[in-house]
Amino acid sequence: MTQAIWEQGYTQNRELSWLQFNARVLAEAEDDAVPLLERCKFLSIFTSNLDEFFMIRVGSLCDMAAVDKDRIDNKSGMTAKEQLRRIYTAVEPLYERRDRAFADVDKRLRAEGLCRLAISDLDPAEHKYIKQYFKNVVAPVLSPQIVDAHHPFPHLEGKVLHIAALLGHKKSERLGLLPVPASLPALVFLPGDGARYVPIEDILLEYTGNVFEMYDVLEKTVFCVTRNADINPDDETFGAEEGDFRKKMEKLLRMRRRMAVVRVELNRPISDHFREYFRSRFDVADAQIFLSRKAPLQMGYVFSLGSHLPEKQRAALSDPPFTPQQPAMLPAGQSLLKAALKRDILLSYPYESMEPFLQMIREAANDPAVLSIRITIYRLARKAKLVEYLCAAAENGKDVTALIELRARFDEQNNIDWSERLEEAGCKIIYGFEDYKVHSKICLITRQERGVVRHITQVGTGNYNEKTATQYTDVSLITSDETIGADAGAFFNNMALGNLEGKYDRLFVAPTSLKNNILALMDEQIAKGSEGYILLKFNSLTDIDVIEKLRDASCAGVKIEMIVRGICCLLPGVKGHTENITVTSIVGRFLEHSRIYVFGRGAEEKMYISSADLMTRNTERRVEIACPVDSSEVRARLHDILYAMQHDTVKARVLQPDGTYHKKPPVPDPLCAQVLLMQQAINQAREQASHPEPPEPGWKKFFGRLFGRRD
């Protein structure tokens, strides 16, 4: 019998690996080298990440522990119950780290004049102001409730702040609940000089006795619950009509608000007697109740804190401003639509602007030669130019098809709204498959000029979201290669027909061909032994077949370098298994999001960009695309992005055989990949402005000056 993979010691649990990733986000908030307001943002990102982790991953494990108790995780050998136990143990010290980081940041912001105050910090005049604010602004919108035999426990929305008070009355006890109204600002700023503020929940906590004035307040705390949000529409039986599908999604969103509690957070210590109210009312164990002594339970407000400081001071406490630049492969003023008919072009977000792509869609909407535009949509910005241009194309008589994934988690309502807008404009809307999310990022423009039909295909690693294109690193390939265009046309036809078994010449398409082709490319490198080479950049690795193939490649002597931002269930450097594998994670100013796969070196190299991470959900349960990169110029640009990542000595963390991450050793000239790529984009835009012709593939020269000759 083959030894179970988890017993061989080169894999780890995905949830614990994810917690390590979020700890790296928290490390940015702890880093004195990170500007103070940016540290605040990392605290908020860490918090929202952890919220989603409990809503989705912990929620899923709680369900599994209830209905499939004996199911074993194939990478750690743990049951769902054992995983939950390990998760709760691992999360508790993260709360302590967040408290310390928040206290440090808060102290430093005070020195800058941005002061978060407790009620006890207020002088008499300020205390009077807050009291009047409570009376005139807060009290009129409060909805307090007691819980006793005549007043049932209400349903509490997930991640909504509440005040809980243990109330005494005539030798009896009852629970008082006071939700923090969403209509109130998160922070109340005091009049006068400086930026002094009190969190709204602290004001409600201070005046809880005024609200429940007929009772004695024995104990009180701010709390919020996190509910299981792991509704999987794939388990539902959807009707055949598209409108029916949209209505069922709306029903599922309503269900999400009422699902079971998986975590309770408190902002101050309470007695065990008071804790019992939370345990019994929410049916949670003590391990699911977490205490945040310093950091607020919600931190979304931090993104606007800087607006309360003078501009010069705000700039000094923030990252240097950066504006996405004119793409290096597209001279300013040149049409991307026309340029793509002549050569392949790569856009690299956020270093380069997404605007040329959006203008290409706008131009296509008004181009008499354009017959059709077809596109997949997973996530869009709240205000999306793309939708405006697609609607204009349909109104101009173009055949516009949008394949919209309504199940993009937490963006479902946004996508429902956009689908209705597109449909009203005359676009054909497809909603994908019952059992497979469509996560691919592909757009196909078909033109007919002088009797000749041409295709322009765009394949990207990230969404068509104008906001996140300034925050996430992604790459976007635009090509007029007719074999890729033919595959793209076949892809959209297959999606319209509900056919997942389509055959493609150049594109790898999950769930049918992507994983098999990637494994085959790895086999080609395995056949080369120590001459083989694999370089991969993506977000997460969980697919057991890919993990085992990487292990086989390592044992065959293939050198494997992976840049994995988040989850990595493979442990590198394990003797006898993964000694030839290195794994690096980069967490920085921008969210690393691009997926780039390289197999082999030199003339035999094969390179792909993809929408897919190497996770089972992507390779087997989603519709994903990987596209080959043929252009030598585009390859050179992608290699230089990868080369910067490989040589980062500032933000890079290296995964160890025991699952921990270490910084790289100090070097005389530290290099931050994202800073380098920003500066490079600026330099190339300046050079392009003075030499408007498309630049020679000079990226190697640029990096050569920085790093010396490349192997």
Side-chain angles (χ1 to χ4, degrees), residues 168-447:
H169 183 65
K170 296 180 180 180
K171 297 183 180 180
S172 66
E173 286 182 355
R174 62 202 65 191
L175 184 67
L177 294 173
L178 184 60
V180 178
S183 59
L184 295 176
L187 308 177
V188 177
F189 281 83
L190 297 166
D193 296 334
R196 296 160 59 81
Y197 65 90
V198 181
I200 189 65
E201 63 267 27
D202 287 2
I203 298 175
L204 266 69
L205 195 66
E206 173 70 11
Y207 293 102
T208 298
N210 296 52
V211 177
F212 298 103
E213 58 184 354
M214 64 178 290
Y215 301 95
D216 295 324
V217 178
L218 307 177
E219 289 190 69
K220 57 186 177 180
T221 188
V222 180
F223 80 99
C224 66
V225 300
T226 306
R227 293 188 176 276
N228 182 353
D230 189 35
I231 294 175
N232 186 357
D234 299 347
D235 295 333
E236 300 292 318
T237 302
F238 292 106
E241 296 181 9
E242 293 177 347
D244 188 42
F245 186 91
R246 191 153 57 203
K247 288 177 183 177
K248 287 181 180 291
M249 280 305 307
E250 291 170 337
K251 180 181 177 181
L252 286 172
L253 294 180
R254 291 192 295 272
M255 286 174 55
R256 177 178 284 165
R257 293 194 286 270
R258 304 197 66 85
M259 293 181 73
V261 172
V262 295
R263 177 182 61 164
V264 178
E265 295 177 282
L266 311 174
N267 85 332
R268 61 173 58 190
I270 58 175
S271 68
D272 190 64
H273 174 62
F274 197 11
R275 287 174 75 96
E276 180 57 31
Y277 276 85
F278 292 97
R279 288 192 290 260
S280 60
R281 292 295 180 180
F282 298 121
D283 191 24
V284 295
D286 212 46
Q288 292 171 275
I289 301 176
F290 294 91
L291 177 62
S292 185
R293 295 175 184 268
K294 300 288 186 181
L297 302 183
Q298 292 185 356
M299 296 195 65
Y301 69 86
V302 304
F303 290 91
S304 62
L305 272 182
S307 64
H308 298 278
L309 293 173
E311 184 176 349
K312 187 175 180 180
Q313 188 180 15
R314 180 171 67 249
L317 300 178
S318 305
D319 283 330
F322 176 76
T323 302
Q325 300 293 299
Q326 176 68 24
M329 298 185 71
L330 185 71
Q334 190 174 115
S335 161
L336 179 56
L337 189 69
K338 294 177 181 177
L341 290 169
K342 300 176 182 177
R343 65 185 188 282
D344 289 358
I345 292 173
L346 186 81
L347 308 181
S348 176
Y349 312 140
Y351 309 108
E352 297 175 346
S353 173
M354 189 186 195
E355 192 62 26
F357 169 77
L358 296 173
Q359 292 307 314
M360 181 177 78
I361 302 300
R362 183 182 182 183
E363 186 178 348
N366 296 290
D367 184 349
V370 169
L371 304 176
S372 67
I373 303 172
R374 292 185 272 183
I375 191 169
T376 58
I377 294 175
Y378 193 74
R379 295 189 197 276
L380 290 173
R382 295 290 179 185
K383 296 180 180 179
K385 291 181 185 177
L386 177 64
V387 172
E388 176 187 333
Y389 299 156
L390 291 173
C391 290
E395 290 162 357
N396 287 343
K398 314 298 182 189
D399 181 6
V400 179
T401 301
L403 196 168
I404 299 181
E405 181 50 73
L406 293 185
R407 293 165 295 179
R409 186 174 284 136
F410 303 128
D411 266 354
E412 297 96 338
Q413 189 61 56
N414 194 40
N415 285 2
I416 288 170
D417 295 342
W418 282 130
S419 70
E420 292 172 345
R421 170 73 182 91
L422 288 162
E423 204 165 39
E424 288 170 0
C427 301
K428 180 180 179 182
I429 304 299
I430 305 173
Y431 291 124
F433 299 84
E434 293 181 7
D435 301 320
Y436 298 86
K437 284 186 179 180
V438 179
H439 190 250
S440 52
K441 328 297 184 189
I442 186 168
C443 177
L444 177 65
I445 298 171
T446 302
R447 298 176 82 251

Side-chain angles (χ1 to χ4, degrees), residues 11-260:
T11 57
Q12 64 174 333
N13 178 260
R14 68 166 280 170
E15 319 307 345
L16 298 179
S17 178
W18 184 91
L19 287 173
Q20 284 273 3
F21 156 67
N22 210 28
R24 296 194 294 282
V25 175
L26 183 56
E28 292 298 299
E30 298 168 320
D31 188 350
D32 288 342
V34 175
L36 207 49
L37 289 175
E38 307 303 333
R39 291 177 64 186
C40 285
K41 294 175 185 177
F42 278 112
L43 280 168
S44 181
I45 293 166
F46 166 84
T47 300
S48 60
N49 282 351
L50 197 60
D51 291 344
E52 185 171 336
F53 176 74
F54 269 88
M55 284 189 278
I56 304 304
R57 299 306 307 170
V58 173
S60 176
L61 286 171
C62 287
D63 290 343
M64 192 184 301
V67 302
D68 196 0
K69 297 179 181 180
D70 298 324
R71 184 175 179 180
I72 298 293
D73 170 45
N74 63 2
K75 300 169 195 74
S76 64
M78 292 189 286
T79 64
K81 189 174 182 180
E82 289 169 335
Q83 291 179 70
L84 287 169
R85 204 158 42 230
R86 291 283 299 277
I87 287 168
Y88 300 147
T89 301
V91 166
E92 190 168 353
L94 294 178
Y95 272 84
E96 295 170 0
R97 281 179 59 184
R98 182 181 66 172
D99 276 342
R100 289 194 297 271
F102 178 82
D104 181 53
V105 169
D106 192 46
K107 178 182 177 182
R108 292 169 185 258
L109 285 175
R110 278 175 174 262
E112 299 290 341
L114 194 54
C115 302
R116 179 179 183 268
L117 302 173
I119 298 294
S120 58
D121 295 328
L122 304 181
D123 63 32
E126 292 171 333
H127 203 289
K128 182 179 179 181
Y129 175 83
I130 290 297
K131 187 175 182 178
Q132 286 298 116
Y133 185 88
F134 174 79
K135 179 181 177 181
N136 298 329
V137 179
V138 178
V141 296
L142 295 181
S143 300
Q145 183 170 347
I146 59 168
V147 179
D148 58 17
H150 302 288
H151 301 86
F153 196 89
H155 173 77
L156 305 184
E157 291 281 344
K159 291 307 297 178
V160 172
L161 295 181
H162 289 76
I163 309 299
L166 187 60
L167 305 174
H169 183 65
K170 296 180 180 180
K171 297 183 180 180
S172 66
E173 286 182 355
R174 62 202 65 191
L175 184 67
L177 294 173
L178 184 60
V180 178
S183 59
L184 295 176
L187 308 177
V188 177
F189 281 83
L190 297 166
D193 296 334
R196 296 160 59 81
Y197 65 90
V198 181
I200 189 65
E201 63 267 27
D202 287 2
I203 298 175
L204 266 69
L205 195 66
E206 173 70 11
Y207 293 102
T208 298
N210 296 52
V211 177
F212 298 103
E213 58 184 354
M214 64 178 290
Y215 301 95
D216 295 324
V217 178
L218 307 177
E219 289 190 69
K220 57 186 177 180
T221 188
V222 180
F223 80 99
C224 66
V225 300
T226 306
R227 293 188 176 276
N228 182 353
D230 189 35
I231 294 175
N232 186 357
D234 299 347
D235 295 333
E236 300 292 318
T237 302
F238 292 106
E241 296 181 9
E242 293 177 347
D244 188 42
F245 186 91
R246 191 153 57 203
K247 288 177 183 177
K248 287 181 180 291
M249 280 305 307
E250 291 170 337
K251 180 181 177 181
L252 286 172
L253 294 180
R254 291 192 295 272
M255 286 174 55
R256 177 178 284 165
R257 293 194 286 270
R258 304 197 66 85
M259 293 181 73

